[in-house]
Structure formats: structure tokens, C-alpha cells
Amino acid sequence: MAEGDGQSTPAAGRVRVLTPTGALRGAGIIVAPGSVLTCAHVVAGALRQDGPTAPVGAVGLDVGGHPDRARGEASVAADGWFPGPLDGARGGDLAVLTTTWRPPPGVGFARLGPCGDPDRREVHVYGHPARAPDGLWSRASLVGRGGPHRDWVQLDGLDSATAWIEPGFSGAGVWDPATGRVVGMVTAALGDRGTRAAWMLPMEAAARLWPALAPAVTGHAPPGAAPSAAKPPTDHQQFALADALLRVSLVEEDRAATLLRLLPAHIRHGVRDHPRARLQVFYVVQACVDHRDGRAALVAALRMLDESSEAAGAALALFDEVWPQGPGGDAP
């Protein structure tokens, strides 16, 4: 998958998925130039082809509500078909589309991030129901894993006044305002307005299905990459890194809880908890030092959380000084 600088805005990478004749079927996410994620059932419905194999043909793409209505076409990538549990399959309901279409100026592609542990934080979803085909926002909270697929995460509507997820939202990106990243993709809704429940496929689960997505989601090389040969920082240097991280306001505000949530599970689950902020952040650094991909993961998490403040810049500079990257480098 091509890589580059995505956009940390809620509108980045939003597209609609259409039938070949232009009828609306669902939503999609531009994750890199030429690559779009959507639901397998959206593509199958658009092309009227059911079955375990990828549909043949091209769906349409455009941007709802954009003054430039130029339409493109996309087809399923050779390695991009993962039909979901509602079709009796085990793939999570993901389709990776490839396209030569260039979206209108300003649309760009979305920056992705891992969902991490569902902790009832608020997320936003922009879908295209029949009553609002150009787009409609919905707000939800991440409740927990479950539903028809083991990797799916349940979304609950925040209140009765919030527009709810319905047909037309499938394939839409789930935007986490706390991190400025798309952390999931809507896959299904319960269809009961009284219950107001739906599900999403977390981006880290999408990356397991389609490994080419992993660097964009985690910000570092996928599992199996060569370990860094850099010398790990001493305990004194680890405390210095913790202090630098603690000067970043978004780290200090919640004792690195959001930073921790952005780390891969195999690192995150080894972090000890402590009520003192300095020791808590030190334990985060220490856990990263214990893993061969820890430096890249921690740098990526910091960049996801805050890549523009002076304090974040100082922390990144200290990483280069006391814990330099290995010869293979860190992923962007």
C-alpha cells in the first residue's frame, strides 16, 4: 500500500460507494492514494453478486456533498476480500478497493489509528442514509468487543437526539476526536432504534486481515520486522524520557492513559499501573523498552496524540538523542 501524509480531520478520506448506475450503497475510507476500505457486503450489494469469492466488476465512488461530483470507479484488490460473519464467513466484513480515481481537492486520505481498549469514549461517524444521502453525523460510545464477530466492537448511541447508524453507514470511518484518527469502520447495525446498537471493525483488526494496512494503523513496521540494533536507554534515560512525555499536555492530563491506549496490545498489557503520574509514564516507557518494536510504537503513539506542540517536539528530539532508531529506521 502506498504511504504518505494523511489528514487528521474528520472529513479526510470520506467517500460514498455507489452501484455501477450511480445508486448509493454505503460509505468508504480512502486510506492511501488508490486504496479504499469499505464493507464486503456493501460491494456485494452494489454489484449484486453474493458468495464467498470477490465480486467481479467496478463500483462507483464519489464524495457526498462536495461541489465536485466527479465519479470514479474501484474494484476489489486481488488480496482484499474478507466477507463477514453475516455471510457465514470469518473475515470481519472488509473489502479493499483499488482505484485510479483522484478525489476532489481537499479530500485527501484519512489518518488511521488503533482502537485499543473500548472504554466508552465518544466517537463520531459520518454516514449516508437514504434520508440524507450527502451525509449525516452520528455520535456513539465504544462499549466493548462482541457481536457477530470476535473482533467487532459495539457502538452505542449517546442519546435519543443523536442520529443513529442505519443502512448507508456501512463502510464509514469511525473518528476518534481524542486522537484525531479513524479507529474503525462501521460494519453492521442492530436495526432497533430502541436499542441503538451497532458494530465496527477496529483498524488493528483490519490490518490483521490486510497486512499492507499495518504501517498506516500502528505507525511502525508490522510484526516480524527486523529488530532494532540500537542500544536501549538506561533507567536514568528512561526517566528523562518519561519526564519529557509528561510535559506534553495531552499526556499529563490523563496520566498517559490515551498514550497507553495507542500502543499495541502486546506492549500495553505489560504496563504496570501507578497513581503517581511520573511513575506511570515511566512504566509506559519501560514496557516499550522491553519490546523490540517498542521505540517505534511509542514514537508513533506520541505522534498520533500530539505531533505539533513544542513539548512533543522536544520529546521526539530526546528520543533521537538517548534512544536512537535502529539501522532500519522507524516507520513514519
Side-chain angles (χ1 to χ4, degrees):
M1 183 183 72
E3 294 186 54
D5 291 329
Q7 299 178 7
S8 294
T9 69
R14 287 193 324 225
V15 294
R16 303 191 306 177
V17 178
L18 316 170
T19 68
T21 59
L24 179 61
R25 288 299 304 187
I29 313 161
I30 305 175
V31 295
S35 297
V36 176
L37 303 185
T38 187
C39 291
H41 80 261
V42 169
V43 178
L47 296 177
R48 297 186 178 181
Q49 298 178 38
D50 293 325
T53 59
V56 176
V59 298
L61 298 175
D62 74 359
V63 179
H66 198 284
D68 182 348
R69 291 286 187 161
R71 187 186 304 172
E73 292 186 339
S75 56
V76 179
D79 59 348
W81 185 246
F82 311 95
L86 303 182
D87 300 313
R90 301 171 59 188
D93 198 4
L94 173 68
V96 182
L97 306 178
T98 181
T99 180
T100 59
W101 173 65
R102 296 175 66 90
V107 175
F109 59 98
R111 281 191 176 175
L112 310 179
C115 169
D117 292 328
D119 54 5
R120 303 204 69 90
R121 67 188 184 276
E122 180 179 326
V123 292
H124 301 169
V125 184
Y126 193 83
H128 302 276
R131 58 197 173 99
D134 284 330
L136 186 68
W137 279 109
S138 179
R139 298 184 302 132
S141 61
L142 299 177
V143 180
R145 302 186 187 278
H149 191 273
R150 60 182 177 82
D151 284 331
W152 285 7
V153 169
Q154 183 176 326
L155 303 164
D156 276 2
L158 289 184
D159 53 61
S160 60
T162 300
W164 189 228
I165 295 171
E166 57 184 284
F169 277 83
S170 292
V174 178
W175 168 261
D176 182 352
T179 62
R181 298 294 190 269
V182 171
V183 298
M185 180 189 73
V186 175
T187 49
L190 189 59
D192 180 353
R193 289 184 176 274
T195 306
R196 302 172 63 79
W199 293 275
M200 74 171 197
L201 179 70
M203 278 298 150
E204 57 266 44
R208 288 196 295 272
L209 294 171
W210 193 53
L213 192 65
V217 174
T218 63
H220 59 89
S228 169
K231 183 179 179 180
T234 65
D235 284 351
H236 178 77
Q237 291 170 329
Q238 290 177 45
F239 269 113
L241 288 169
D243 290 338
L245 289 170
L246 203 53
R247 295 187 191 101
V248 178
S249 61
L250 293 177
V251 175
E252 188 272 338
E253 285 173 4
D254 63 2
R255 290 194 310 116
T258 302
L259 184 72
L260 180 62
R261 194 169 65 232
L262 292 172
L263 293 172
H266 68 281
I267 297 177
R268 184 176 65 248
H269 292 161
V271 176
R272 290 180 286 174
D273 187 56
H274 198 282
R276 288 183 56 191
R278 187 175 187 239
L279 284 176
Q280 180 63 66
V281 181
F282 170 75
Y283 288 151
V284 171
V285 174
Q286 187 180 61
C288 291
V289 170
D290 289 340
H291 291 79
R292 66 178 187 174
D293 59 344
R295 182 197 188 278
L298 186 52
V299 167
L302 177 58
R303 285 174 173 162
M304 289 182 195
L305 189 66
D306 181 351
E307 59 184 355
S308 60
S309 74
E310 183 177 342
L316 291 170
L318 186 62
F319 271 92
D320 290 337
E321 178 183 342
V322 304
W323 192 7
Q325 63 188 21
D330 286 339

